[in-house]
Amino acid sequence: FKALPPNSPTYSECKVPGRIGTTLPIRNPVTAPPLESGQTRIILTWPNKPNDLDIHVFGFRAGMSPCRVFYGDKCGCPDVCQDVDNTNGGSYGPETVTLQNSVNNAGYTYAIGVHDYRNEDDVFGFSKAKIEVTNGTTSFSETLPIGSLPDYSWWFFGCISITPDNIIAYYPTPAGTIFSGSELSEWIEMVNKFCNFTVMDGPRVAANINMNFPPK
């Protein structure tokens, strides 16, 4: 994608209903296509450092092997694609993944995590990284609490599921939930614990999925 100059506006805002009793902004990144009917977008923003935070999304569905969307496989799940991989710092705009078709996305539980590609954990913990999920009508968001993190930490935002008519269900975790996302078994543990979904025969599933992290 074409990088924006520092301090450029990266989205417009409007007020929409979010969680009960709150009003949350919707951000439409200029670096991603406009949302269409039946689509949902996962948006990662952070003010500046580190240079390269990454969204990782796993799709879990009963009776199927999990699928994965990330910088190394940008359309690794059916009708889910990464629009933008920002490698130049948060001031250059958001990183986004779009669920492209609510009818086809229904039936999946999507687990969302964030990782610092360069493993600068002393920076990641102070990044003010924020995940927002929006369908253009309803929005949910969480920000990584500020604080030091162990080496090679991942932030687990939680899970979402989508109905055929594009209603979002959000399954949050306690603020600042950290896990070892380089292991699929850790993703399965998070999903089983927080996401109203049970991955059957988790150890066998984890053993049969290659968790590769190709260089950029």
Side-chain angles (χ1 to χ4, degrees):
F1 72 100
K2 183 177 180 180
L4 297 175
N7 303 318
S8 293
T10 59
Y11 49 78
S12 58
E13 291 193 1
C14 61
K15 298 295 183 178
V16 298
R19 291 189 179 192
I20 296 174
T22 66
T23 301
L24 297 173
I26 281 198
R27 296 170 170 82
N28 297 310
V30 299
T31 51
L35 274 179
E36 299 178 3
S37 177
Q39 294 186 338
T40 293
R41 181 157 291 149
I42 303 164
I43 306 167
L44 169 62
T45 57
W46 67 105
N48 189 15
K49 297 292 184 180
N51 284 336
D52 192 2
L53 293 184
D54 286 320
I55 301 174
H56 292 252
V57 178
F58 270 94
F60 293 89
R61 186 168 187 166
M64 299 178 64
S65 296
C67 58
R68 179 186 179 202
V69 173
F70 73 119
Y71 69 87
D73 192 352
K74 293 186 176 181
C75 294
C77 289
D79 289 294
V80 182
C81 286
Q82 183 176 46
D83 311 294
V84 177
D85 178 18
N86 177 8
T87 62
N88 295 299
S91 61
Y92 279 74
E95 181 158 317
T96 63
V97 169
T98 301
L99 282 59
Q100 299 175 331
N101 185 315
S102 60
V103 173
N104 295 337
N105 299 139
Y108 283 88
T109 294
Y110 296 101
I112 303 167
V114 177
H115 179 240
D116 178 3
Y117 176 77
R118 301 181 185 180
N119 289 308
E120 301 173 283
D121 295 297
D122 55 332
V123 180
F124 183 26
F126 296 88
S127 65
K128 299 181 182 179
K130 179 179 180 179
I131 287 283
E132 183 171 9
V133 177
T134 180
N135 60 12
T137 301
T138 302
S139 177
F140 300 94
S141 66
E142 298 289 348
T143 300
L144 177 65
I146 293 175
S148 297
L149 295 177
D151 291 345
Y152 306 106
S153 292
W154 293 58
W155 172 36
F156 191 70
F157 167 78
C159 294
I160 61 171
S161 60
I162 310 294
T163 65
D165 53 355
N166 206 27
I167 296 173
I168 306 170
Y170 171 40
Y171 306 97
T173 64
T177 296
I178 301 301
F179 74 124
S180 298
S182 59
E183 300 292 334
L184 180 56
S185 59
E186 292 273 336
W187 286 87
I188 292 173
E189 181 179 342
M190 293 290 103
V191 170
N192 288 344
K193 185 174 183 180
F194 296 114
C195 298
N196 195 36
F197 184 91
T198 300
V199 181
M200 303 302 294
D201 200 6
R204 181 190 62 80
V205 171
N208 288 327
I209 300 294
N210 180 18
M211 289 288 287
N212 63 313
F213 295 90
K216 294 190 179 183

mmCIF file of all heavy atoms in Angstrom, residues 20 60 130 144 191 195-196 201:
data_model
loop_
_atom_site.group_PDB
_atom_site.id
_atom_site.type_symbol
_atom_site.label_atom_id
_atom_site.label_comp_id
_atom_site.label_asym_id
_atom_site.label_seq_id
_atom_site.Cartn_x
_atom_site.Cartn_y
_atom_site.Cartn_z
ATOM 1 N N ILE A 20 -23.477 -1.720 25.244
ATOM 2 C CA ILE A 20 -24.602 -1.103 25.944
ATOM 3 C C ILE A 20 -24.092 0.040 26.813
ATOM 4 O O ILE A 20 -23.142 -0.109 27.583
ATOM 5 C CB ILE A 20 -25.332 -2.150 26.800
ATOM 6 C CG1 ILE A 20 -25.952 -3.219 25.888
ATOM 7 C CG2 ILE A 20 -26.392 -1.502 27.681
ATOM 8 C CD1 ILE A 20 -26.570 -4.373 26.633
ATOM 9 N N PHE A 60 -12.185 -20.539 13.407
ATOM 10 C CA PHE A 60 -12.504 -21.868 13.922
ATOM 11 C C PHE A 60 -13.955 -22.190 13.568
ATOM 12 O O PHE A 60 -14.857 -21.357 13.754
ATOM 13 C CB PHE A 60 -12.327 -21.924 15.441
ATOM 14 C CG PHE A 60 -10.905 -21.781 15.899
ATOM 15 C CD1 PHE A 60 -10.367 -20.525 16.152
ATOM 16 C CD2 PHE A 60 -10.097 -22.897 16.058
ATOM 17 C CE1 PHE A 60 -9.051 -20.378 16.580
ATOM 18 C CE2 PHE A 60 -8.779 -22.763 16.480
ATOM 19 C CZ PHE A 60 -8.250 -21.505 16.743
ATOM 20 N N LYS A 130 -4.510 -0.573 19.608
ATOM 21 C CA LYS A 130 -5.973 -0.633 19.747
ATOM 22 C C LYS A 130 -6.549 -1.469 18.612
ATOM 23 O O LYS A 130 -6.174 -1.299 17.451
ATOM 24 C CB LYS A 130 -6.568 0.776 19.697
ATOM 25 C CG LYS A 130 -8.094 0.809 19.805
ATOM 26 C CD LYS A 130 -8.602 2.247 19.768
ATOM 27 C CE LYS A 130 -10.112 2.323 19.867
ATOM 28 N NZ LYS A 130 -10.597 3.732 19.856
ATOM 29 N N LEU A 144 -4.665 -2.037 24.326
ATOM 30 C CA LEU A 144 -3.702 -2.752 25.159
ATOM 31 C C LEU A 144 -3.256 -1.851 26.301
ATOM 32 O O LEU A 144 -2.737 -0.756 26.057
ATOM 33 C CB LEU A 144 -2.501 -3.171 24.312
ATOM 34 C CG LEU A 144 -1.355 -3.881 25.036
ATOM 35 C CD1 LEU A 144 -1.812 -5.234 25.572
ATOM 36 C CD2 LEU A 144 -0.156 -4.055 24.098
ATOM 37 N N VAL A 191 -9.324 -19.659 22.887
ATOM 38 C CA VAL A 191 -10.673 -19.807 22.318
ATOM 39 C C VAL A 191 -11.557 -20.632 23.241
ATOM 40 O O VAL A 191 -12.712 -20.268 23.520
ATOM 41 C CB VAL A 191 -10.588 -20.447 20.913
ATOM 42 C CG1 VAL A 191 -11.978 -20.830 20.406
ATOM 43 C CG2 VAL A 191 -9.931 -19.474 19.932
ATOM 44 N N CYS A 195 -14.193 -17.794 24.332
ATOM 45 C CA CYS A 195 -14.901 -17.461 23.094
ATOM 46 C C CYS A 195 -16.192 -18.227 22.836
ATOM 47 O O CYS A 195 -16.671 -18.257 21.700
ATOM 48 C CB CYS A 195 -13.949 -17.613 21.912
ATOM 49 S SG CYS A 195 -12.532 -16.482 22.003
ATOM 50 N N ASN A 196 -16.737 -18.870 23.856
ATOM 51 C CA ASN A 196 -18.012 -19.564 23.693
ATOM 52 C C ASN A 196 -17.946 -20.593 22.563
ATOM 53 O O ASN A 196 -18.900 -20.783 21.808
ATOM 54 C CB ASN A 196 -19.145 -18.559 23.436
ATOM 55 C CG ASN A 196 -20.532 -19.176 23.625
ATOM 56 O OD1 ASN A 196 -20.727 -20.017 24.505
ATOM 57 N ND2 ASN A 196 -21.485 -18.769 22.800
ATOM 58 N N ASP A 201 -10.726 -31.978 20.204
ATOM 59 C CA ASP A 201 -9.464 -32.676 19.952
ATOM 60 C C ASP A 201 -8.346 -31.669 19.675
ATOM 61 O O ASP A 201 -7.582 -31.791 18.715
ATOM 62 C CB ASP A 201 -9.621 -33.645 18.776
ATOM 63 C CG ASP A 201 -8.550 -34.734 18.771
ATOM 64 O OD1 ASP A 201 -7.775 -34.801 19.736
ATOM 65 O OD2 ASP A 201 -8.486 -35.493 17.789
#
